[in-house]
């Protein structure tokens, strides 16, 4: 097991490994991966009696781990947070998985690099070559000009979602206007280089998505909410479909003499819009975005499929595409 000790921790890795026998390490690992266990489940997993389990729990408490008893007919245990941070025990696979996630994090890059450096210092010697290999071999293509997300904002929203706390925050829309919002936070989704909050807006009585780099001062209220059934079972699917239904500054509609399935197969990457079938060999593609560059790029990608088409586009998009076509024609003529 690898041990990570926080700045407030009072024991080194060697102390933890020397103090805890293998059975206690196993018990601690189980308590860390699930919110609550019954006593019967733990005795079965560990192969010990209820009396031995109680003794092991008391020993963990002596080492500053807050193991709480849970009520109920069978009784059980859970690991609670405390005022001091005891060592966090990870097995080899968990430590390397965390290292990989930290090495490829982009939206919270500075915080991730600091955490990766701390992880490297406390890992056992046998894991350091693997960590070095991960850090040296793994990389991710960053999204250009993507605003960084405050990790504290992410943490507060995640905690509010976990505690089912109605949450207030200040939100800035696309036009720069700020407003106070009150929501029930349900999911955090990373998409296209941005983090989004999927939440139920209690004032508007509807589902909304909020970009986290436009959100500030999140704070839980005393209100609690029951989990609602989201419009889509998968939050990421709901987010992308919500984007596809949105109307932004530039909207282009193209009718293509090709099936919707074939268009999706021939496009590289997701489309900022939607594609709907209009028959077995015809479909309608709708592109909508605030960026003129983005709208023109995806429109050009659809036109480049080389099939008969009809297009409705705002003047700015039509002019840009016309200029591009003229330049291509001039270049082709001069080369010919």
């Amino acid at each position: 097991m690898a041990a990570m000790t926080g700045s407030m921790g009072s024991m080194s890795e060697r102390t933890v490994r020397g103090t805890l026998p293998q059975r206690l390490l196993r018990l601690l690992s189980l308590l860390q991966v699930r919110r609550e266990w019954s006593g019967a489940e733990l005795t079965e997993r560990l192969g010990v009696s209820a009396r031995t389990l109680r003794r092991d729990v008391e020993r963990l408490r002596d080492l500053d781990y807050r193991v709480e008893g849970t009520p109920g007919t069978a009784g059980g245990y859970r690991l609670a947070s405390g005022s001091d941070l005891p060592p966090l025990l990870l097995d080899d696979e968990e430590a390397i998985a965390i290292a990989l996630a930290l090495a490829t994090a982009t939206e919270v890059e500075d915080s991730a690099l600091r955490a990766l450096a701390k992880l490297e210092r406390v890992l056992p010697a046998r894991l350091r070559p693997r960590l070095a290999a991960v850090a040296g071999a793994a990389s991710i293509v960053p999204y250009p000009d993507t605003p960084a997300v405050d990790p504290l904002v992410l943490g507060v929203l995640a905690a509010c979602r976990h505690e089912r706390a109605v949450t207030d925050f200040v939100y800035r829309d696309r036009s720069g206007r700020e407003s106070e919002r009150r929501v029930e936070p349900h999911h955090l989704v990373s998409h296209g280089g941005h983090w989004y909050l999927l939440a139920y807006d209690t004032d508007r009585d509807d589902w909304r998505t909020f970009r986290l780099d436009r959100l500030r001062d999140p704070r839980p209220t005393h209100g609690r909410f029951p989990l609602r059934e989201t419009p889509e079972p998968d939050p990421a699917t709901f987010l992308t479909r919500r984007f596809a239904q949105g109307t932004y500054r530039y909207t282009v509609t193209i009718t293509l003499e090709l099936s919707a399935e074939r268009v999706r197969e021939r496009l590289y990457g997701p489309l900022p819009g939607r594609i709907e079938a209009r028959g077995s060999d015809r479909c309608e593609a709708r592109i909508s975005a605030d960026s003129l560059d983005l709208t023109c790029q995806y429109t050009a990608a659809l036109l480049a499929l080389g099939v008969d088409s009809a297009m409705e586009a705002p003047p700015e998009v039509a002019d840009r595409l016309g200029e591009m076509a003229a330049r291509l024609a001039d270049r082709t003529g001069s080369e010919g």
Side-chain angles (χ1 to χ4, degrees):
M1 307 281 278
M4 287 172 51
T5 308
S7 59
M8 298 176 63
S10 58
M11 295 182 293
S12 67
E13 174 195 341
R14 181 176 299 176
T15 303
V16 175
R17 290 178 61 83
T19 303
L20 295 180
Q22 190 63 35
R23 190 180 66 243
L24 261 67
L25 290 173
R26 173 65 174 156
L27 171 59
L28 185 56
S29 178
L30 291 172
L31 291 172
Q32 288 179 162
V33 299
R34 208 166 91 181
R35 179 173 177 82
E36 190 173 306
W37 293 86
S38 70
E41 289 174 319
L42 289 174
T43 55
E44 181 181 356
R45 290 290 189 102
L46 298 170
V48 299
S49 65
R51 181 180 179 183
T52 299
L53 174 62
R54 289 194 295 270
R55 189 166 58 241
D56 288 348
V57 167
E58 287 302 321
R59 189 167 182 189
L60 287 179
R61 288 168 176 166
D62 290 340
L63 295 171
D64 293 330
Y65 290 96
R66 284 193 56 192
V67 184
E68 297 179 342
T70 58
T73 55
Y77 299 96
R78 65 185 173 204
L79 190 62
S81 60
S83 58
D84 294 325
L85 180 64
L88 171 64
L89 301 182
L90 304 171
D91 62 29
D92 293 6
E93 292 181 356
E94 291 168 341
I96 296 302
I98 290 176
L100 178 60
L102 292 172
T104 56
T106 56
E107 293 91 347
V108 289
E109 185 173 0
D110 290 342
S111 302
L113 290 176
R114 292 197 305 271
L116 185 61
K118 292 178 182 178
L119 176 60
E120 184 176 11
R121 286 197 296 271
V122 298
L123 280 180
R126 70 179 184 279
L127 292 182
R128 287 175 186 164
R130 296 189 200 177
L131 178 58
V134 168
S139 60
I140 188 169
V141 177
Y143 288 88
D145 303 323
T146 301
V149 174
D150 186 344
L152 295 179
V153 170
L154 268 171
V156 170
L157 292 174
C160 290
R161 187 264 180 192
H162 177 73
E163 299 296 332
R164 300 184 185 178
V166 176
T167 306
D168 291 343
F169 54 79
V170 178
Y171 191 69
R172 185 183 75 256
D173 64 18
R174 290 181 310 205
S175 63
R177 294 189 302 267
E178 287 192 342
S179 61
E180 186 79 18
R181 311 298 285 267
R182 173 163 290 187
V183 304
E184 300 171 359
H186 279 261
H187 289 281
L188 292 164
V189 183
S190 179
H191 175 71
H194 296 285
W195 277 97
Y196 294 88
L197 170 67
L198 169 59
Y200 191 84
D201 192 313
T202 57
D203 292 332
R204 291 157 179 79
D205 196 25
D206 197 6
W207 291 95
R208 291 290 190 271
T209 57
F210 302 93
R211 225 173 77 178
L212 261 59
D213 59 287
R214 296 176 180 166
L215 185 156
R216 65 177 177 84
D217 192 23
R219 52 202 181 278
T221 69
H222 294 295
R224 294 294 181 268
F225 63 90
L227 283 179
R228 299 176 184 266
E229 183 176 348
T230 55
E232 295 284 347
D234 176 24
T237 300
F238 172 78
L239 185 73
T240 54
R241 289 187 177 178
R242 176 60 65 95
F243 288 161
Q245 294 168 358
T247 299
Y248 302 95
R249 183 174 180 181
Y250 304 102
T251 300
V252 175
T253 302
I254 306 176
T255 302
L256 297 157
E257 300 300 322
L258 193 65
S259 70
E261 182 180 357
R262 287 289 293 139
V263 169
R264 294 189 187 97
E265 289 175 354
R266 294 177 61 181
L267 282 178
Y268 180 76
L271 188 76
R274 65 174 184 263
I275 302 173
E276 296 180 346
R278 292 291 183 264
S280 58
D281 295 311
R282 175 181 292 184
C283 69
E284 182 181 275
R286 179 181 179 275
I287 302 167
S288 191
D290 283 333
S291 167
L292 177 61
D293 290 342
L294 184 65
T295 306
C296 291
Q297 288 166 17
Y298 278 97
T299 301
L302 286 169
L303 297 176
L305 295 178
V307 299
D308 291 340
S309 62
M311 181 179 74
E312 295 180 8
E316 298 93 334
V317 175
D319 291 345
R320 174 76 66 84
L321 294 174
E323 292 169 3
M324 181 180 69
R327 284 195 297 270
L328 287 172
D330 289 343
R331 179 171 298 180
T332 303
S334 61
E335 290 177 354

